[in-house]
Amino acid sequence: AGSGAHQLNNPYDLYVSERSRTMYIVDYGNHRIQRWDFGASSGVTIVGTTGITGTALTLLSGPSAIIINSNETSMYISDMMNN
């Protein structure tokens, strides 16, 4: 557990790309979405700011679920604390 690029804090949900086998992880405790490419030893934050919560357009507060459409062009995130 932790907030480093190779760590997660209370992961809630996961989406795995059928095309690239990339994983998108909802990291609830760090208020971010992490992308982990196949074979990588760490992830990249693509939504949110690690450990910072808020209501701004670029911040999350308690993300809990992720869905990506079939052609992988749109991502939808459930952000519990921002209602």
Side-chain angles (χ1 to χ4, degrees):
S3 60
H6 65 291
Q7 298 171 309
L8 300 169
N9 182 2
N10 201 11
Y12 250 54
D13 197 15
L14 170 74
Y15 174 86
V16 179
S17 167
E18 290 184 24
R19 287 192 225 171
S20 63
R21 299 190 299 186
T22 298
M23 292 187 304
Y24 297 88
I25 302 170
V26 177
D27 191 7
Y28 179 87
N30 284 318
H31 309 288
R32 67 185 179 183
I33 305 299
Q34 286 283 93
R35 183 187 74 225
W36 287 60
D37 294 326
F38 181 74
S41 59
S42 64
V44 175
T45 300
I46 60 168
V47 181
T49 301
T50 302
I52 299 174
T53 183
T55 59
L57 293 176
T58 58
L59 297 176
L60 298 172
S61 182
S64 60
I66 186 171
I67 297 173
I68 297 178
N69 68 343
S70 60
N71 61 0
E72 298 184 12
T73 57
S74 297
M75 176 184 299
Y76 304 92
I77 302 165
S78 174
D79 192 19
M80 290 188 344
M81 304 309 239
N82 278 328
N83 300 312

